[in-house]
Amino acid sequence: MSMALVSKNKLSFVDSMINAPEAIDPLYPVWKRCNNMVLSWIHRSIAYSIINLIMWMKRTSDVWNDLKQHFAQSSVFRIAEILEDVFRLQQGDRSISDYFTELKSLWDELETLQPLPACRCVPSCTCGAMVEVRATRERIQVIRLLKELNEQFIQVRSQIMLMEPLPDLNKVFALVSQQERQINSNSQVDMFAESKVFISNRAPTRGSFSQRRRGRNTKLCTHCGKVNHTVDTCFEKHGYPPGYKT
């Protein structure tokens, strides 16, 4: 909602940066038109069951603050749910991309609800403590991402965790995705090889028809694979007699 209001240059109506002018002010009709427009956007963007909470409010700033007071207090419970989801999430039957996307969406929401503090020192401090705090949080995310991968990624997981320093989150995702593509490629090659073996096993051979007739003929030529004669009298090996008709 904040992004939509910023794109329309109307966020100042909800954060009280633009207050209502006096009714006799020439700008009052302009303010009222913009205020009602933003108010209608908010009405259309919230659930029908809570519209009655703000139905009779006339100022968008009052609506914004009222909704904030009613629903911002539940962020602690949402943080608890996110942490539980993060430590319960495993790759399972998801692809690397789907697993990473779901996990990162939880981390991004957690960052929104519980952001790291920013340095307010004047002049700015140079100890780099906040940089290290952010790096520590990202290392925890990398470890959590690797820890719940499937067993087929155990080798690349061990290699990444032995790196010093540990790669950032996007680099780890790229490495694991590359390993996934290699595994899928090898699986396709194996399936192709198995299909060729299956077809070759089922394909008729030169002596297959003769082998089915071996039950009725005891003689089998080891040269041409045909029955009813041996290699000693095989015409294909020694030549056909004069005047022979096939």
Side-chain angles (χ1 to χ4, degrees), residues 123-153:
S124 299
C125 63
T126 58
C127 66
M130 292 309 304
V131 175
E132 184 62 28
V133 169
R134 293 185 180 278
T136 300
R137 172 176 282 193
E138 185 165 353
R139 281 197 296 268
I140 294 174
Q141 293 175 351
V142 168
I143 294 172
R144 192 62 203 169
L145 172 67
L146 295 172
K147 185 69 173 62
E148 300 304 329
L149 291 174
N150 292 338
E151 290 301 320
Q152 57 185 338
F153 297 99

Side-chain angles (χ1 to χ4, degrees), residues 10 17 35 41 60 66 83 88 103 128-130 135 149-150 155 163 178 204 209 212 215 218 230-231 245:
K10 296 295 185 292
M17 292 295 294
N35 179 80
W41 293 346
T60 54
D66 187 78
L83 292 175
R88 186 174 53 190
L103 194 56
M130 292 309 304
L149 291 174
N150 292 338
Q155 183 176 359
M163 292 181 180
Q178 183 178 1
F209 178 73
R212 290 196 297 269
T218 58
T230 63
V231 65
K245 296 182 180 181

